[in-house]
Amino acid sequence: MTETAKSLIAKSWKKTRVRKPKRGVAAIYAGHAIILNNKLTSVAFQNHLELYDEFISWLADVATVLLYSNGSLKREDYAYAHLASAICSLALSVRHAACIGHDVSAKILARSLAEYSDVMALLIVRPDLRTEFQKEEAPEQFWQKHVQRGKARKSILAALPLEGRAVDWSTQYESFRREEGKFLSTSVHPSYVSAAMTVLAVDDEKVAWPGFLGRVTDASVRTLVYAMQCLSLIVFLSRLPFGGKKSQFSVGLTFEPKNKLHRQIEARRYVLVRILRFLGTQRSEKGVFKVKDPKGLKEWAQEELRNQLPE
């Protein structure tokens, strides 16, 4: 008889001589976190989630069109199809983590989302790199050669038709990505502050529920904004996934006016541009991308921790 997880756990508990707790405790924690956080989300969080969902929907449509293109894609074009799928999956994962109150995890995923988005945008402006990207057996080598330290964004921004105010936008955008990247690194790499942030994630003291089990806070608003801005390069670059005489991108897919999904992709792209413009004008009087000093945020978190520790 094959050992099952249930029987293995039951036997192991019996050996400890401690009464086995009720089954499904982890599932109960997760379920309660979902129910609780649906009630605790702020208006700001809900509004930004609405905006973010438009990006996810667009990515899902783009990935669908690319993957199910009836064999019209060339071998090298599948780099776009697979990247679009991965980006959509990561974007959904960021959403899930933020909505159940695990913002540190959401930030880690958002950083990966940013990296995948940069690679996708790079391959759009540098289609000659598609084969190298597909055949590279050591992904870190492609990353080091073409992407890290802003190399990809430099190529991507250079390909955009930037004039007038758009030039200022590109400068502010690069500064935004660089500073937010530093801030997110405190979540990606193990640190005392990032670990403690899971404990600080409590907005409503009337509800007894620890942050490490999942507690939504407005810290996730910043995470969602970062994710949307990282996706902006793909949105701005071209009429992905359709090509045209004036567009920079084409994988052999022709826009079909009678195809509902095709029309939806083009229409939602217009919506995304409007959302990104709105986010830009709402960032404050100091520029499109006002970013709090990461060092200042660390100092604030450390001060909060000192106040909570016993004397």
Side-chain angles (χ1 to χ4, degrees):
M1 181 178 175
T2 304
E3 183 83 273
T4 65
K6 182 179 178 180
S7 61
L8 172 63
I9 293 171
K11 290 177 183 178
S12 300
W13 270 103
K14 190 174 182 179
K15 292 287 185 179
T16 68
R17 297 183 179 181
V18 175
R19 184 175 181 180
K20 182 180 178 297
K22 293 181 179 179
R23 290 180 57 200
V25 173
I28 292 172
Y29 286 157
H32 186 69
I34 292 172
I35 296 172
L36 177 68
N37 288 311
N38 281 338
K39 298 177 181 178
L40 294 179
T41 55
S42 69
V43 173
F45 178 85
Q46 291 171 355
N47 280 327
H48 282 82
L49 191 64
E50 287 277 349
L51 299 177
Y52 185 63
D53 282 353
E54 288 294 317
F55 286 82
I56 293 177
S57 298
W58 184 72
L59 289 168
D61 288 346
V62 169
T64 299
V65 166
L66 287 171
L67 284 172
Y68 303 102
S69 56
N70 297 322
S72 62
L73 295 187
K74 298 178 182 179
R75 180 180 179 83
E76 61 269 22
D77 290 334
Y78 275 97
Y80 299 125
H82 295 157
L83 278 170
S85 303
I87 292 169
C88 183
S89 176
L90 281 167
L92 274 167
S93 298
V94 170
R95 187 190 196 281
H96 293 329
C99 286
I100 61 175
H102 294 289
D103 183 63
V104 172
S105 299
K107 282 180 167 55
I108 294 172
L109 291 166
R111 178 161 170 171
S112 292
L113 174 67
E115 294 174 352
Y116 270 79
S117 299
D118 283 353
V119 171
M120 171 69 128
L122 177 65
L123 295 187
I124 290 175
V125 301
R126 290 283 309 278
D128 56 297
L129 294 177
R130 289 174 296 178
T131 301
E132 179 182 347
F133 175 71
Q134 289 174 320
K135 293 183 177 181
E136 183 60 73
E137 295 182 359
E140 68 277 6
Q141 292 183 10
F142 182 89
W143 178 261
Q144 292 169 359
K145 185 178 179 181
H146 300 292
V147 184
Q148 72 171 1
R149 297 177 182 173
K151 292 178 183 177
R153 291 199 299 277
K154 185 177 180 180
S155 298
I156 296 162
L157 292 172
L160 289 171
L162 301 174
E163 297 179 0
R165 294 173 63 184
V167 177
D168 294 334
W169 171 86
S170 66
T171 302
Q172 293 173 4
Y173 180 82
E174 180 57 29
S175 176
F176 168 82
R177 286 291 304 273
R178 185 169 54 253
E179 293 304 317
E180 287 292 271
K182 291 178 182 178
F183 176 61
L184 263 67
S185 68
T186 63
S187 299
V188 174
H189 304 298
S191 70
Y192 180 63
V193 172
S194 63
M197 290 301 288
T198 59
V199 181
L200 297 177
V202 178
D203 282 348
D204 188 349
E205 295 181 356
K206 296 180 180 178
V207 180
W209 186 252
F212 61 82
L213 291 181
R215 193 66 173 268
V216 170
T217 72
D218 280 353
S220 290
V221 169
R222 180 173 181 168
T223 307
L224 296 176
V225 169
Y226 175 77
M228 287 186 279
Q229 294 292 358
C230 290
L231 293 169
S232 68
L233 292 180
I234 299 175
V235 174
F236 288 149
L237 267 176
S238 63
R239 293 179 59 208
L240 177 72
F242 309 111
K245 293 181 179 179
K246 295 183 179 180
S247 69
Q248 301 170 5
F249 178 78
S250 175
V251 291
L253 298 181
T254 302
F255 176 74
E256 299 175 8
K258 293 184 179 180
N259 187 308
K260 183 179 178 181
L261 186 56
H262 287 197
R263 296 199 309 272
Q264 186 169 285
I265 288 174
E266 290 287 80
R268 183 168 273 124
R269 181 175 177 276
Y270 170 78
V271 173
L272 297 184
V273 171
R274 295 293 297 271
I275 290 173
L276 288 165
R277 287 177 179 173
F278 170 78
L279 290 174
T281 58
Q282 297 297 309
R283 293 301 286 179
S284 89
E285 71 284 352
K286 291 190 177 181
V288 177
F289 303 104
K290 181 184 179 183
V291 182
K292 293 181 179 179
D293 179 17
K295 183 179 179 182
L297 284 169
K298 290 181 182 178
E299 292 175 352
W300 168 82
Q302 289 169 343
E303 180 63 27
E304 288 293 313
L305 287 171
R306 283 194 291 270
N307 294 335
Q308 290 191 16
L309 291 174
E311 296 182 359

